[in-house]
Amino acid sequence: MGSDPQFAKYPNLALAQDIFTLTNPSSSSNSRQTSLKKLQDAISDQRMAPLYRHLAHPTEGLLNSSGEGSASRPATTSRRTNGASHGPLVSAKSALIDFPWSEQLYEKIKTENDTELETFAKEEADAAETAGDTEVQAAKGKRAEFWARVGDKEKALSSYEAVFEKTGVLGTKIDIVLAIVRIGLFFNDKMLVKKQVDRAKALVESGGDWDRRNRLKAYQGLHLLTTRSYNLAAPLLLDSLSTFTSYELCSYSSLVVYSVLAGSVSLKRVDFKSKVVDTPEVKAILGDGEDKLAALTGTVSAGPGTSDEDMKDASSSTPTPAHTAVNLTTLGASTDKVTEMETPVDFTPLAGLVRSLYVGNYQAFFLALAAVEESFLSQDRYLHEHRVWFVREMRLRGYQQLLQSYRIVSLKSMAADFGVSIDFLDRDLAKFIAADRIPCTIDRVNGIIETNRPDDKNKQYADVVKQGDALITKLQKYGQAVRLRGSERG
């Protein structure tokens, strides 16, 4: 079935990013104020009473750390007993800016919610009496979307499941499951997301259409990103760049960031070149001059440094040209929804990271990595949790890329290439060497690093011995269990 996707409007995941910004120590004061204003406007315009109570209530609100209430009623209202149940959207009392509570506003939007629910109930009853199952399902679908819109997790899930059970159309079932995935992403419920992504995969494999298969790639990739499976997320996200339509999931600019970061940390050098450095979709955003023009006009051009053997040293690299913010709405369809979600993004740090890693300009690579951490990793709710791991893995990638080309390297020259002190390089390398991540030894007396080329045959022999020992141990345990059972029968 190739119909347009249903249930794709709610929940609004951009609001989850705004909530994260309010609790993020790395966000600026201006960005917190902007996010607070956007959140307040959305709650008022979309009448999100359950989410408003969850975030701003004087005694229960996660973003009202001071317990501030409205002037009309005291702040010490009793704890609710029948409110909505929510997942760990943010940690309790973790906001850096208070989300003020207004009892008058809450009662107003709650009354409007009740009125809207009565309308749904009447519509559903009328459909059951005078229309068919399709109209009844449509009325139930409106109720499910309502709960997703106002931010009541449990009621939204139960409503969507009720619609799913009575739906026979495969495309609609897939859309419902994807809506549940977004609810899990909104409330940061990784277990729910994993379960529903697997469920959506099974439905798509049973006969899903081309559009929903492509949309699921982006959902899978983002889920894997949140669980730090960057090696599995990279191919899915990169494949989604040319066919991306899941604007209900994230903006195209966010997809570019996720794809490039996942590919940079996980792909081998040859794949990194073909799938990140030379990909037209990435060049159109991160490229310079002729490369960007060629990508936008459809002309394939790998640009300078197309050969892996042409890796340059830091001393011979040319300065990086300045980048400007890119408005991605000019690169694709300019629908109202896309225009509303996309904002100009400065991709300079990301472009510098990709370029410097590929050409071997390691000092610029470290500087770009720090800028990427500040501009992207620390500001995004999906990347923030794994930012320390990502920076460490990218440092490791830089070290490995340089050391694999040499038998012996002086500490002084390698420290100069990366723009760090010898002591820092010694300490940092020692951690990776101890964890068997880099096959080399450090000789501080002579001030050198000596790489140890792995012997494939010896490694295979060691693996066989190790696996054989494990097999013998299992067989011995099995034999003991069989003897014990035999003695019991006797």
Side-chain angles (χ1 to χ4, degrees):
M1 178 179 178
S3 60
D4 293 334
Q6 303 177 55
F7 309 110
K9 193 172 182 180
Y10 302 109
N12 183 357
L13 291 178
L15 293 180
Q17 174 63 38
D18 290 326
I19 295 169
F20 168 77
T21 300
L22 297 179
T23 68
N24 182 17
S26 301
S27 60
S28 65
S29 176
N30 288 338
S31 62
R32 285 196 288 269
Q33 291 291 346
T34 301
S35 293
L36 178 62
K37 178 68 166 55
K38 288 169 63 179
L39 191 58
Q40 288 175 322
D41 290 345
I43 286 174
S44 178
D45 295 342
Q46 299 178 20
R47 302 178 294 280
M48 307 172 73
L51 184 66
Y52 182 45
R53 184 182 182 97
H54 180 60
L55 297 176
H57 192 271
T59 58
E60 304 166 21
L62 300 181
L63 301 184
N64 193 345
S65 58
S66 66
E68 179 184 355
S70 64
S72 59
R73 296 198 182 186
T76 56
T77 55
S78 60
R79 182 170 296 274
R80 70 179 177 194
T81 58
N82 58 350
S85 174
H86 297 272
L89 183 57
V90 293
S91 57
K93 303 297 183 185
S94 60
L96 300 175
I97 182 171
D98 275 344
F99 193 174
W101 170 261
S102 169
E103 190 73 27
Q104 183 178 2
L105 173 63
Y106 175 72
E107 292 298 335
K108 175 179 177 293
I109 59 179
K110 187 174 183 300
T111 301
E112 292 173 347
N113 286 171
D114 294 339
T115 302
E116 199 168 350
L117 285 171
E118 290 175 1
T119 302
F120 294 147
K122 184 177 184 301
E123 183 178 343
E124 187 175 341
D126 292 343
E129 291 180 5
T130 61
D133 293 339
T134 302
E135 289 74 14
V136 173
Q137 284 293 95
K140 290 183 177 179
K142 290 181 181 179
R143 184 192 300 273
E145 282 197 296
F146 165 81
W147 290 122
R149 187 195 82 207
V150 300
D152 194 313
K153 177 185 175 183
E154 298 303 328
K155 290 183 179 179
L157 292 178
S158 60
S159 297
Y160 274 127
E161 289 293 348
V163 177
F164 182 91
E165 291 299 324
K166 298 294 184 179
T167 298
V169 181
L170 179 60
T172 304
K173 285 190 171 186
I174 295 172
D175 292 339
I176 292 172
V177 174
L178 294 182
I180 296 175
V181 171
R182 294 196 306 276
I183 292 173
L185 289 171
F186 189 96
F187 290 100
N188 198 25
D189 190 340
K190 292 184 175 63
M191 292 300 296
L192 174 64
V193 173
K194 182 181 185 305
K195 179 180 177 182
Q196 297 302 322
V197 165
D198 292 341
R199 187 182 185 188
K201 284 172 59 179
L203 290 171
V204 166
E205 289 170 2
S206 68
D209 61 85
W210 181 86
D211 178 64
R212 289 178 173 87
R213 286 177 183 273
N214 280 324
R215 290 174 61 213
L216 181 59
K217 281 186 183 179
Y219 280 77
Q220 285 182 268
L222 187 56
H223 163 61
L224 291 169
L225 201 73
T226 63
T227 59
R228 201 184 289 180
S229 301
Y230 279 57
N231 59 324
L232 301 177
L236 293 169
L237 293 172
L238 288 166
D239 285 347
S240 299
L241 285 175
S242 59
T243 58
F244 182 71
T245 57
S246 303
Y247 291 98
E248 75 280 0
L249 184 66
C250 65
S251 64
Y252 189 76
S253 58
S254 296
L255 181 71
V256 171
V257 173
Y258 300 151
S259 302
V260 172
L261 291 179
S264 298
V265 77
S266 64
L267 295 179
K268 294 181 179 180
R269 181 171 171 79
V270 175
D271 294 331
F272 176 63
K273 180 181 185 300
S274 62
K275 297 182 179 180
V276 177
V277 178
D278 288 345
T279 299
E281 290 79 17
V282 175
K283 275 190 170 185
I285 296 160
L286 304 187
D288 290 315
E290 293 181 359
D291 278 349
K292 179 177 287 189
L293 180 61
L296 289 172
T297 57
T299 305
V300 178
S301 171
T306 57
S307 174
D308 286 352
E309 289 76 19
D310 292 338
M311 183 184 295
K312 302 177 183 178
D313 295 329
S315 59
S316 62
S317 297
T318 56
T320 301
H323 283 242
T324 56
V326 177
N327 191 337
L328 292 171
T329 57
T330 62
L331 300 180
S334 57
T335 61
D336 292 341
K337 186 174 183 179
V338 176
T339 305
E340 184 179 306
M341 292 189 65
E342 296 289 359
T343 55
V345 178
D346 184 5
F347 290 101
T348 304
L350 200 58
L353 183 75
V354 172
R355 184 187 309 105
S356 58
L357 175 62
Y358 182 69
V359 303
N361 187 345
Y362 298 111
Q363 186 169 351
F365 169 67
F366 265 29
L367 292 174
L369 182 59
V372 165
E373 180 183 11
E374 181 180 353
S375 301
F376 297 105
L377 301 177
S378 297
Q379 305 302 324
D380 188 275
R381 64 187 292 252
Y382 301 123
L383 301 173
H384 183 273
E385 183 180 357
H386 310 298
R387 67 192 186 284
V388 175
W389 172 87
F390 181 88
V391 171
R392 183 175 66 247
E393 291 297 311
M394 290 301 288
R395 292 202 314 269
L396 171 63
R397 175 149 199 174
Y399 296 148
Q400 289 173 331
Q401 184 167 288
L402 185 144
L403 290 172
Q404 72 182 1
S405 303
Y406 301 96
R407 183 75 175 83
I408 296 176
V409 185
S410 73
L411 272 168
K412 183 177 180 181
S413 65
M414 185 171 176
D417 283 345
F418 282 93
V420 297
S421 67
I422 294 176
D423 289 337
F424 173 84
L425 181 63
D426 183 18
R427 291 193 305 270
D428 210 26
L429 282 175
K431 298 174 186 176
F432 296 121
I433 294 171
D436 292 330
R437 304 295 301 279
I438 300 179
C440 68
T441 55
I442 300 175
D443 185 349
R444 280 305 298 264
V445 175
N446 296 314
I448 61 172
I449 303 169
E450 185 175 359
T451 59
N452 304 319
R453 301 292 180 184
D455 188 334
D456 290 339
K457 289 187 177 179
N458 287 339
K459 184 179 183 300
Q460 291 174 1
Y461 175 77
D463 289 342
V464 169
V465 172
K466 183 178 180 181
Q467 293 170 5
D469 288 342
L471 179 60
I472 291 172
T473 301
K474 290 181 179 179
L475 288 174
Q476 288 174 344
K477 290 181 177 178
Y478 177 74
Q480 290 174 358
V482 170
R483 287 195 296 272
L484 286 173
R485 290 174 182 171
S487 60
E488 290 174 359
R489 287 197 299 268

